[in-house]
Every structure is written in C-alpha cells, then in structure tokens.
Amino acid sequence: MTFIDLTHYRCPLALVKLKMALKQLPSGEVLRVMLKDKGSRQDVPRFLNKANWQYVELQNDAEILVLSITRGD
C-alpha cells in the first residue's frame, strides 16, 4: 500500500499530485490519500468517479478526508 499526505496542498495542486500518483500505481496496489482542503475534498472523489477508480472513505470528518483507492475494472 502506498500512502500520500496531501493535507498541505490546496486544489488544484492536490488533484494534480493525486493524478501523478495514480499514473504510477502498479496494478493491484492500493493508494491511501489524505486530504484537508475543502475544494480537494469535493474534486478528488468527483474525479475518481469519472475516471473509473474505485475508492472507500476511511475517514470523513470536519478536518480530514482519507480515501483508499484501487483501479476500477
């Protein structure tokens, strides 16, 4: 499993960094990502849905969104 902490980045930079990490993600590997910025917390799940990535919210509270992402079929 790969973990990236994007809490220090605001959208769109957080989304750009996530896209770069997803391109390098080996098949079958899980990417766990942590987001804090309000825009990123909305844009990242929207992007993942459009791009056919499967994800699970591990944490979603007032401060942090943590997603576990795998490649969709």
Side-chain angles (χ1 to χ4, degrees):
M1 175 176 26
T2 305
F3 176 79
I4 55 173
D5 181 354
L6 299 176
T7 57
H8 300 299
Y9 299 100
R10 296 179 55 134
C11 208
L13 189 55
L15 183 58
V16 170
K17 289 195 169 282
L18 174 71
K19 287 179 180 181
M20 290 174 19
L22 290 172
K23 283 183 181 180
Q24 298 175 10
L25 191 68
S27 181
E29 182 74 14
V30 175
L31 176 65
R32 194 164 285 180
V33 61
M34 184 182 296
L35 303 160
K36 188 173 184 178
D37 173 62
K38 183 179 177 180
S40 299
R41 292 175 62 158
Q42 294 173 354
D43 291 348
V44 167
R46 199 173 299 142
F47 161 76
L48 293 171
N49 285 329
K50 286 183 181 180
N52 199 31
W53 288 91
Q54 297 176 348
Y55 68 94
V56 176
E57 290 184 2
L58 301 176
Q59 178 181 345
N60 188 0
D61 56 35
E63 293 286 321
I64 301 289
L65 173 63
V66 180
L67 301 174
S68 180
I69 305 167
T70 55
R71 188 175 303 275
D73 292 331

